[in-house]
């Protein structure tokens, strides 16, 4: 499928959770909610669940583990049986291309003690797994990775009553997936586990475990803390978890907020497209996820946040953006962790900013669905944007409109949508090949942009 985006139309309108074309539920929270509901005792109800290519493998995995669930539209019902009653799968669990699915399932399987194998696509088999395997082994989990320290992961059974060892562990890099894996495994430990990150990553797992009655201690910060204060703060982050005895989690009843990572495409679209004003309602504003908003504000973007509230332990609010003149900036340090998924669309904003934008400390981008540093620079250069690749980031010379042309998303859903956004304000249309991969995380992407006034069509 080829997606063709024509420039020249301003974007106007409001996107809410209850409209026909709405922002999808948060991907990270959807993953955690489904898995933690399966670990709980009793019936959980999860509204506005993200039904997409990255969450369906997790639901399939739960069924293989003997869990009952059903979907009614975007409402997910899960009948939790507690980890002691999980069933050993008869075949390897296929995690698709989702590292979140594999790493979070690894933590839950470690806690359950059952025998299982986790595997996925060729792309997922390139993602590093030693980051979870080594600390899990320190806890006493019987798990092995391939000789390349990648998937498949093989778990060997142990008795559920054989508790794991609590650990005091410092993560080499800040990673919400690694941290979450170890927190889930720590649910079966004999005592308190302490994890330390070099910088704070998103804390969805911590917040959800706390709401389910788990004794967990972690710093909770203001999602609207000033940009400069956040960017210059390099303090490490510590979380301590003590599993309940007996190991019983309360079921979940929550509505998942809109996904900020999906909203990011609409936010940048509204900023770079002349004459635009967009409001996106009920977006999750977890402090570990708002780095893009802070970076764009520092560049001069007109972004307003209103109607702040809390839902299921998560901060939620409305975001209004207006077309803005941007200036270049440097992104480095702790801010990188808090916008790690948004760098593809941030690069598009940088292309429209006055001056040279520099991104450092972002080598993690090389191990995403694609090598996002290499792929981004290659495709931006192909449409007339001067982008230079560096080992741990990139630089983009902005101030000149992209000329347009045909681009290749390298099998990466975020590259599809980011490159499409560039087409809204380019000199000529942008054609994105193999665009169907966008349904991995944002099935309604085209319909929402068309609703806002964008000129997009599928060939």
């Amino acid at each position: 499928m080829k997606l063709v985006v024509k420039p020249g139309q301003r974007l106007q309108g409001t996107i809410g959770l209850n409209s026909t074309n709405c922002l999808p539920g948060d991907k990270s929270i959807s993953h955690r909610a489904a898995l933690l509901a399966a670990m709980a005792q009793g019936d959980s109800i999860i509204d506005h669940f993200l039904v997409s290519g990255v969450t369906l493998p997790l639901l399939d995995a739960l069924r293989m583990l003997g869990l009952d669930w059903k979907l009614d539209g975007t409402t997910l019902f899960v009948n939790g049986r507690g980890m002691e009653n999980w069933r050993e799968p008869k075949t390897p669990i296929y995690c698709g291309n989702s590292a979140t699915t594999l790493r979070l399932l690894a933590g839950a399987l470690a806690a359950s003690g059952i025998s299982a194998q986790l595997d996925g696509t060729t792309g997922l088999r390139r993602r590093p797994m030693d980051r979870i395997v080594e600390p899990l082994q320190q806890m006493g989990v019987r798990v092995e990775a391939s000789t390349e320290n990648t998937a498949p992961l093989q778990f060997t059974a142990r008795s559920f009553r054989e508790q794991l060892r609590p650990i005091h562990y410092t993560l080499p890099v800040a990673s919400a997936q690694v941290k979450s894996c170890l927190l889930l495994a720590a649910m079966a430990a004999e005592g308190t586990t302490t994890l330390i990150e070099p910088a704070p990553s998103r804390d969805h797992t911590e917040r959800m475990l706390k709401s389910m009655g788990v004794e967990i201690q972690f710093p909770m910060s203001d999602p609207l803390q000033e940009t400069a204060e956040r960017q210059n703060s390099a303090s490490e982050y510590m979380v301590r978890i003590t599993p309940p005895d007996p190991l019983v989690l309360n079921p979940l009843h929550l509505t998942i907020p809109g996904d900020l990572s999906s909203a990011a495409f609409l936010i940048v679209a509204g900023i770079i497209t002349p004459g635009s004003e967009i409001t996106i309602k009920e977006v999750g504003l977890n402090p570990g996820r708002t780095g893009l908003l802070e970076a764009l504000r520092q560049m001069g973007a007109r972004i307003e946040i209103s109607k702040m509230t809390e839902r299921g332990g998560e901060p939620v609010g409305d975001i209004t953006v207006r077309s803005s003149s941007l200036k270049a900036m440097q992104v480095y340090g702790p801010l990188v962790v808090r916008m790690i998924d948004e760098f593809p669309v941030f690069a598009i904003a940088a292309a429209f900013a006055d001056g040279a934008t520099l991104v450092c400390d972002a080598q993690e981008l090389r191990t995403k669905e694609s090598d996002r540093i290499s792929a981004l620079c290659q495709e931006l250069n192909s449409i007339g944007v001067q982008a230079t690749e560096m080992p741990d980031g990139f630089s983009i010379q902005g101030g000149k409109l992209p000329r347009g042309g045909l681009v290749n998303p390298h099998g990466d859903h975020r590259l599809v949508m980011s490159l499409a956004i560039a087409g809204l304000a380019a000199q000529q249309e942008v054609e994105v090949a193999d665009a169907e991969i966008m349904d991995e995380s944002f099935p309604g992407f085209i319909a929402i942009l068309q609703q806002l006034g964008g000129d997009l069509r599928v060939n």
Side-chain angles (χ1 to χ4, degrees), residues 163-184:
Q163 291 181 290
L164 299 176
R165 293 187 291 270
I167 58 172
H168 188 289
Y169 183 76
T170 299
L171 280 67
V173 297
S175 168
Q177 292 180 7
V178 174
K179 177 179 63 177
S180 296
C181 171
L182 301 182
L183 287 174
L184 297 183

Side-chain angles (χ1 to χ4, degrees), residues 25-40 44-50 54-56 58-59 62 76 78 83 86 98-105 107-108 132 171 174-184 187 197 200-212 216 237 249-254 256-257 259 261 286 288-289 312 314 337 340-341 368 414:
D26 187 281
K27 178 172 75 72
S28 295
I29 299 177
S30 293
H31 268 113
R32 288 158 173 79
L35 184 54
L36 284 169
M39 296 171 70
S44 293
I45 303 174
I46 304 162
D47 289 318
H48 201 53
F49 182 82
L50 173 63
V54 291
T55 56
L56 292 176
L58 176 60
L59 295 182
L62 296 183
L76 176 66
V78 180
M83 288 171 284
W86 282 16
S98 174
T100 304
T101 296
L102 191 148
R103 289 178 174 142
L104 266 63
L105 265 176
I132 62 171
L171 280 67
S175 168
Q177 292 180 7
V178 174
K179 177 179 63 177
S180 296
C181 171
L182 301 182
L183 287 174
L184 297 183
M187 294 291 291
E197 287 186 294
S201 66
R202 61 191 65 176
D203 60 2
H204 299 306
T205 304
E206 294 94 306
R207 290 171 183 260
M208 198 171 294
L209 284 170
K210 184 175 182 179
S211 75
M212 299 173 78
I216 185 167
Y237 170 99
L249 295 180
N250 300 324
L252 287 167
H253 294 87
L254 80 159
I256 295 175
D259 194 317
S261 293
N286 184 286
R289 302 279 296 279
E314 292 282 349
V337 180
I340 194 67
D341 287 336
K368 294 292 185 178
R414 297 200 192 279

Side-chain angles (χ1 to χ4, degrees), residues 216-292:
I216 185 167
Q217 300 170 345
F218 61 100
M220 294 180 67
S221 54
D222 182 353
L224 300 182
Q225 190 176 339
E226 288 300 317
T227 302
E229 182 181 347
R230 278 200 175 278
Q231 175 140 350
N232 295 330
S233 172
S235 59
E236 59 187 25
Y237 170 99
M238 183 172 69
V239 54
R240 293 167 58 87
I241 181 170
T242 304
D245 184 16
L247 183 48
V248 176
L249 295 180
N250 300 324
L252 287 167
H253 294 87
L254 80 159
T255 298
I256 295 175
D259 194 317
L260 181 57
S261 293
S262 296
F265 302 106
L266 309 180
I267 290 167
V268 172
I271 290 169
I272 68 172
T273 307
S276 297
E277 180 175 335
I278 301 171
T279 296
I280 313 164
K281 302 179 76 64
E282 300 180 77
V283 183
L285 295 171
N286 184 286
R289 302 279 296 279
T290 54
L292 176 70

